[in-house]
Amino acid sequence: MSFELRIMDDALRPQCLGIFNRIIAEGETYPWDDPLTREDLDALYPPHEPVWCAVDPEGTVLGFVHIHPNGFGRTEHIGNCGYAVDAVARGKGIGRALVTKSLEVAREMGFAGLQFNAVVATNTAAIKLYESFGFSIIGTIPGGFRLGSAENPEYVDRHIMFLALQ
Amino acid sequence: MSFELRIMDDALRPQCLGIFNRIIAEGETYPWDDPLTREDLDALYPPHEPVWCAVDPEGTVLGFVHIHPNGFGRTEHIGNCGYAVDAVARGKGIGRALVTKSLEVAREMGFAGLQFNAVVATNTAAIKLYESFGFSIIGTIPGGFRLGSAENPEYVDRHIMFLALQ
């Protein structure tokens, strides 16, 4: 699958919103229960925080990554990345390309490390991918993520992963 | 030191803001670099999220705790508590009383566990206090907290602590 990496611009935002909401509907990796509006997406991805998109030759967005501080003030030197790969485009190296790009960007942005707050334990493909770049599971919230609906929940562990960049 | 525990009302908010900003000025436990406004405080503590205050017989607030979800959606069953004890009132059992109250409230609110995201490693009094209630350090972000200013930083570890409530 051929693709190039491009910074998200306004023209790409609707496609990113579509991917985001399909992943929310899967209900297995993101905390949101309900779809985001374009306004929600714009609040999540303010213009000064880079989002890199994997785009195929037809201009279809296949996935993207948002690189930003994990906290603020006295914790803002630790970054966070949020990845999304559309279901139809998985298993084709797009996640790996996005992680590679995000580490490069995070270093450029000067982050001392990257902290992922909520890697769902059942998301083994993501865990393996992050570990292949040197991330470690540094802690686990037992039952910290709900699969299923609030009425019919199944609780699974949620990992915190970290990579030092300096 | 005699005190009673009361839900924060509008009349107590200015005192809580004062404590909050004195703790921010200490620069050792909270991530904020700059003082909060009353508007910031109101956004942090929306009316539906309980804040319990320790108040002395003269009506002076000595400390307080905010009990609320640590995340949202598929992670909102895990709670978080933010504690504050004014410097002049430390070492007098107020922190212990606030933790006791907050665990009682967190159980009533139905949280499955409590996650603290940023317990600064140098804050040994807080760590010991939380551990005495059964909290464990479940992970550590190396150098995850900045002491000092952005221009003259000293980085220390930041712990994630957790207690199962069910």
Side-chain angles (χ1 to χ4, degrees):
Chain A
M1 184 168 275
S2 154
F3 59 90
E4 61 163 12
L5 296 177
R6 284 176 20 205
I7 278 273
M8 181 171 72
D9 57 21
D10 279 351
L12 294 179
R13 284 191 177 234
Q15 289 196 65
C16 292
L17 181 60
I19 293 174
F20 211 115
N21 282 336
R22 285 191 288 279
I23 293 175
I24 287 176
E26 292 169 11
E28 293 175 1
T29 55
Y30 279 179
W32 289 268
D33 274 310
D34 300 310
L36 301 190
T37 63
R38 170 62 189 262
E39 198 172 34
D40 296 330
L41 190 90
D42 290 347
L44 270 178
Y45 302 146
H48 62 282
E49 293 181 352
V51 177
W52 282 86
C53 298
V55 184
D56 79 6
E58 281 72 46
T60 301
V61 177
L62 307 170
F64 58 90
V65 58
H66 173 221
I67 307 107
H68 65 126
N70 191 55
F72 61 90
R74 298 181 177 281
T75 65
E76 73 186 355
H77 57 292
I78 304 295
N80 175 269
C81 300
Y83 303 94
V85 179
D86 212 1
V88 294
R90 288 179 200 156
K92 291 166 176 158
I94 292 160
R96 180 163 296 278
L98 290 172
V99 176
T100 302
K101 184 68 184 176
S102 64
L103 295 188
E104 177 194 319
V105 173
R107 285 179 203 277
E108 284 168 7
M109 290 170 78
F111 290 119
L114 289 172
Q115 176 181 349
F116 297 167
N117 304 296
V119 184
V120 184
T122 48
N123 191 4
T124 50
I127 294 168
K128 271 190 201 167
L129 177 64
Y130 303 150
E131 285 178 338
S132 77
F133 283 89
F135 282 87
S136 307
I137 294 173
I138 61 153
T140 299
I141 310 298
F145 191 88
R146 168 173 50 80
L147 300 174
S149 65
E151 294 71 34
N152 192 20
E154 179 197 350
Y155 294 104
V156 295
D157 291 351
R158 164 166 56 85
H159 298 311
I160 295 153
M161 298 189 75
F162 182 75
L163 175 71
L165 293 181
Q166 288 174 4
Chain B
M1 184 168 274
S2 154
F3 59 90
E4 60 164 13
L5 296 177
R6 286 177 17 205
I7 278 274
M8 181 171 73
D9 57 21
D10 280 351
L12 294 179
R13 284 190 177 234
Q15 288 196 64
C16 292
L17 181 59
I19 292 174
F20 211 113
N21 282 335
R22 286 191 287 280
I23 292 176
I24 287 175
E26 293 169 10
E28 294 176 1
T29 54
Y30 280 180
W32 289 268
D33 274 309
D34 299 310
L36 301 189
T37 64
R38 170 64 188 262
E39 198 172 35
D40 296 330
L41 190 89
D42 291 346
L44 269 179
Y45 301 146
H48 62 283
E49 293 181 353
V51 177
W52 281 85
C53 298
V55 185
D56 79 5
E58 280 73 46
T60 302
V61 177
L62 307 170
F64 58 91
V65 56
H66 173 219
I67 307 107
H68 65 126
N70 191 56
F72 61 90
R74 298 181 178 282
T75 65
E76 74 186 354
H77 57 292
I78 304 295
N80 175 269
C81 300
Y83 303 94
V85 178
D86 212 1
V88 294
R90 286 176 201 158
K92 292 166 177 160
I94 293 160
R96 180 163 296 276
L98 291 172
V99 176
T100 302
K101 184 67 183 179
S102 63
L103 295 188
E104 176 193 318
V105 173
R107 285 180 203 277
E108 284 168 6
M109 291 171 78
F111 289 120
L114 289 173
Q115 177 181 350
F116 297 165
N117 305 296
V119 184
V120 184
T122 47
N123 191 4
T124 51
I127 294 167
K128 272 191 202 167
L129 178 63
Y130 302 152
E131 285 179 337
S132 77
F133 284 88
F135 282 86
S136 306
I137 295 173
I138 62 153
T140 299
I141 310 297
F145 191 88
R146 167 173 51 79
L147 299 173
S149 65
E151 295 70 35
N152 191 19
E154 178 197 349
Y155 295 104
V156 294
D157 291 351
R158 164 166 56 85
H159 299 310
I160 295 153
M161 299 188 76
F162 182 75
L163 176 70
L165 293 181
Q166 289 174 3

